Amino acid sequence: MTVQIQEATAQRGDESSAAPGHGTAADGLGWGRHYAMVRPDHFRVAYRINPYMDLTRQPDPDLAVQQWTGLVAVIEAAGGRVEVVAQRQDSPDMVYAMNLGLALEAGTRRVAMSHMRYAERRRETRSATRWFQRAGFQVSTPGRDGVGAHFEAGDAFPYAGRLVIGYGPRTEELALKHLATDFEVDVQGVRITHPGMYHLDLAFCPLDKRRAMVCPSAFDEASAEALLALVPEPILLSEEDALTFCANSVVLGRTIVMPACPPRVRDELEAAGFTVVLIDVSEFHKGGGSVRCLTNPLDIMIGRHLDRVVGGRVSIPV
């Protein structure tokens, strides 16, 4: 079923009631119930670093806060938990919390802070670093202040035991080796080539152990093939589908919180036993991000959601 925001509390998805063959708690993602989010008190379009940004199309501040608050309510109604990070006044894009860092747990809580490609976004990680440290995370980074490998956490997702990392527009290939070695995980690199899908979270959305939304046209041919090989039952997105931000969604059990859902995609998701909850976050599209960009998962565990590989390993399609 498709549910609008006002119906989310009453009609959210429930893993325990999924229809036979449609997936249960046992084959779900297992992560994505606990998020960090940044309240948009200083959100605006102050520069142009992606194709969606236009200094003449500014977000409405009050509406942005209303939409963000609504997203928090929907996540909590679906059984999720949200921790709020304060936004720096000089960092308008800090609201896209997914890109602050990659948080993983392996006995201890650890986070690889992003080393942003563009200098305009680097200040936000300073405040985020302090927040993660106060929350008990050990902090590392593949680079800092323009020195070292660039890495943006919107390019990284666990899937099929691997850490799938998109590289090209924002994350550099060198960062994959840093993360594989630092966390001792198996990294699958995929090269992003589409200018409108500059982060992996715009073209790839893990759904459960068998399914993910994938937009092949975001990648070079070898990378698209490698990514599809990881997903037993991919839900394919066309370029037109993906540019609605539909892959930039979050999954809580059998509930998918989405900013948009083309009819064919909705039919496939519902046939697989998911409940689609649509929510308007259009003010944030003006900065180039949506639901997933606004949320940073804090409950990914090495050994449960990612395989541990001594010394780490990186695979790059050729």
mmCIF file of all heavy atoms in Angstrom, residues 1 5 36 113 128 130 145 166 180 183 201 214 230 243 277 305:
data_model
loop_
_atom_site.group_PDB
_atom_site.id
_atom_site.type_symbol
_atom_site.label_atom_id
_atom_site.label_comp_id
_atom_site.label_asym_id
_atom_site.label_seq_id
_atom_site.Cartn_x
_atom_site.Cartn_y
_atom_site.Cartn_z
ATOM 1 N N MET A 1 0.840 -1.191 0.000
ATOM 2 C CA MET A 1 0.000 0.000 0.000
ATOM 3 C C MET A 1 0.873 1.238 0.000
ATOM 4 O O MET A 1 2.019 1.204 0.422
ATOM 5 C CB MET A 1 -0.920 0.010 1.223
ATOM 6 C CG MET A 1 -0.214 0.208 2.554
ATOM 7 S SD MET A 1 -1.309 0.128 3.960
ATOM 8 C CE MET A 1 -1.695 -1.626 3.977
ATOM 9 N N ILE A 5 1.848 10.934 4.483
ATOM 10 C CA ILE A 5 2.481 11.231 5.764
ATOM 11 C C ILE A 5 1.488 11.205 6.917
ATOM 12 O O ILE A 5 1.775 10.674 7.987
ATOM 13 C CB ILE A 5 3.222 12.584 5.712
ATOM 14 C CG1 ILE A 5 3.812 12.904 7.094
ATOM 15 C CG2 ILE A 5 2.349 13.704 5.243
ATOM 16 C CD1 ILE A 5 4.689 14.141 7.084
ATOM 17 N N ALA A 36 21.038 9.682 13.072
ATOM 18 C CA ALA A 36 21.390 11.056 13.424
ATOM 19 C C ALA A 36 20.838 11.968 12.344
ATOM 20 O O ALA A 36 20.938 11.657 11.154
ATOM 21 C CB ALA A 36 22.900 11.218 13.534
ATOM 22 N N MET A 113 34.923 9.932 9.493
ATOM 23 C CA MET A 113 34.348 11.220 9.121
ATOM 24 C C MET A 113 34.593 11.493 7.643
ATOM 25 O O MET A 113 35.626 11.113 7.077
ATOM 26 C CB MET A 113 34.979 12.344 9.955
ATOM 27 C CG MET A 113 34.781 12.194 11.456
ATOM 28 S SD MET A 113 33.042 12.045 11.971
ATOM 29 C CE MET A 113 32.358 13.596 11.360
ATOM 30 N N ALA A 128 30.414 17.978 13.653
ATOM 31 C CA ALA A 128 29.936 16.600 13.683
ATOM 32 C C ALA A 128 30.924 15.688 14.387
ATOM 33 O O ALA A 128 30.521 14.761 15.103
ATOM 34 C CB ALA A 128 29.685 16.105 12.263
ATOM 35 N N ARG A 130 32.825 16.430 16.919
ATOM 36 C CA ARG A 130 32.630 16.595 18.367
ATOM 37 C C ARG A 130 31.365 15.874 18.819
ATOM 38 O O ARG A 130 31.336 15.270 19.898
ATOM 39 C CB ARG A 130 32.578 18.087 18.724
ATOM 40 C CG ARG A 130 33.925 18.799 18.546
ATOM 41 C CD ARG A 130 33.916 20.171 19.181
ATOM 42 N NE ARG A 130 33.029 21.095 18.481
ATOM 43 C CZ ARG A 130 33.404 21.857 17.450
ATOM 44 N NH1 ARG A 130 34.638 21.782 16.983
ATOM 45 N NH2 ARG A 130 32.550 22.695 16.893
ATOM 46 N N ASP A 145 40.926 18.753 5.452
ATOM 47 C CA ASP A 145 41.294 20.086 4.964
ATOM 48 C C ASP A 145 41.919 20.056 3.580
ATOM 49 O O ASP A 145 42.854 20.803 3.275
ATOM 50 C CB ASP A 145 42.240 20.776 5.959
ATOM 51 C CG ASP A 145 41.594 20.992 7.318
ATOM 52 O OD1 ASP A 145 40.365 21.192 7.356
ATOM 53 O OD2 ASP A 145 42.312 20.940 8.339
ATOM 54 N N GLY A 166 30.404 4.019 -3.739
ATOM 55 C CA GLY A 166 30.468 4.695 -5.026
ATOM 56 C C GLY A 166 31.620 5.684 -5.035
ATOM 57 O O GLY A 166 31.866 6.377 -4.048
ATOM 58 N N ALA A 180 38.574 0.071 3.756
ATOM 59 C CA ALA A 180 38.690 -1.383 3.857
ATOM 60 C C ALA A 180 39.714 -1.779 4.904
ATOM 61 O O ALA A 180 39.480 -2.689 5.723
ATOM 62 C CB ALA A 180 39.076 -1.971 2.495
ATOM 63 N N PHE A 183 38.602 -0.468 8.721
ATOM 64 C CA PHE A 183 37.508 -1.212 9.346
ATOM 65 C C PHE A 183 37.625 -2.722 9.169
ATOM 66 O O PHE A 183 36.850 -3.473 9.754
ATOM 67 C CB PHE A 183 36.165 -0.747 8.775
ATOM 68 C CG PHE A 183 35.720 0.604 9.258
ATOM 69 C CD1 PHE A 183 35.696 1.690 8.408
ATOM 70 C CD2 PHE A 183 35.330 0.794 10.581
ATOM 71 C CE1 PHE A 183 35.278 2.943 8.843
ATOM 72 C CE2 PHE A 183 34.913 2.034 11.031
ATOM 73 C CZ PHE A 183 34.893 3.113 10.158
ATOM 74 N N ASP A 201 23.783 7.235 -2.811
ATOM 75 C CA ASP A 201 22.432 7.191 -2.243
ATOM 76 C C ASP A 201 21.370 7.806 -3.158
ATOM 77 O O ASP A 201 20.185 7.801 -2.828
ATOM 78 C CB ASP A 201 22.388 7.829 -0.850
ATOM 79 C CG ASP A 201 22.786 9.298 -0.817
ATOM 80 O OD1 ASP A 201 22.823 9.947 -1.879
ATOM 81 O OD2 ASP A 201 23.079 9.800 0.285
ATOM 82 N N VAL A 214 18.087 -0.098 -7.798
ATOM 83 C CA VAL A 214 19.344 0.168 -8.486
ATOM 84 C C VAL A 214 19.054 0.910 -9.786
ATOM 85 O O VAL A 214 18.187 0.493 -10.560
ATOM 86 C CB VAL A 214 20.100 -1.136 -8.825
ATOM 87 C CG1 VAL A 214 21.442 -0.815 -9.496
ATOM 88 C CG2 VAL A 214 20.309 -1.992 -7.586
ATOM 89 N N LEU A 230 25.301 -8.325 -7.074
ATOM 90 C CA LEU A 230 25.171 -8.455 -5.618
ATOM 91 C C LEU A 230 23.723 -8.625 -5.176
ATOM 92 O O LEU A 230 23.469 -9.106 -4.069
ATOM 93 C CB LEU A 230 25.738 -7.212 -4.920
ATOM 94 C CG LEU A 230 27.238 -7.027 -4.844
ATOM 95 C CD1 LEU A 230 27.556 -5.726 -4.130
ATOM 96 C CD2 LEU A 230 27.904 -8.200 -4.139
ATOM 97 N N LEU A 243 15.877 10.261 -10.952
ATOM 98 C CA LEU A 243 15.948 11.714 -10.811
ATOM 99 C C LEU A 243 14.750 12.300 -10.073
ATOM 100 O O LEU A 243 14.704 13.505 -9.824
ATOM 101 C CB LEU A 243 16.128 12.368 -12.179
ATOM 102 C CG LEU A 243 17.496 12.083 -12.835
ATOM 103 C CD1 LEU A 243 17.575 12.718 -14.216
ATOM 104 C CD2 LEU A 243 18.651 12.549 -11.959
ATOM 105 N N VAL A 277 5.606 4.815 2.238
ATOM 106 C CA VAL A 277 5.126 6.018 2.904
ATOM 107 C C VAL A 277 5.738 7.215 2.182
ATOM 108 O O VAL A 277 6.958 7.391 2.180
ATOM 109 C CB VAL A 277 5.517 6.047 4.396
ATOM 110 C CG1 VAL A 277 5.063 7.349 5.041
ATOM 111 C CG2 VAL A 277 4.916 4.863 5.132
ATOM 112 N N HIS A 305 26.105 -6.999 9.750
ATOM 113 C CA HIS A 305 25.669 -6.432 8.481
ATOM 114 C C HIS A 305 26.815 -6.325 7.478
ATOM 115 O O HIS A 305 26.572 -6.131 6.286
ATOM 116 C CB HIS A 305 25.054 -5.052 8.716
ATOM 117 C CG HIS A 305 24.056 -5.037 9.824
ATOM 118 N ND1 HIS A 305 24.156 -4.200 10.916
ATOM 119 C CD2 HIS A 305 22.953 -5.805 10.032
ATOM 120 C CE1 HIS A 305 23.145 -4.436 11.738
ATOM 121 N NE2 HIS A 305 22.405 -5.398 11.224
#
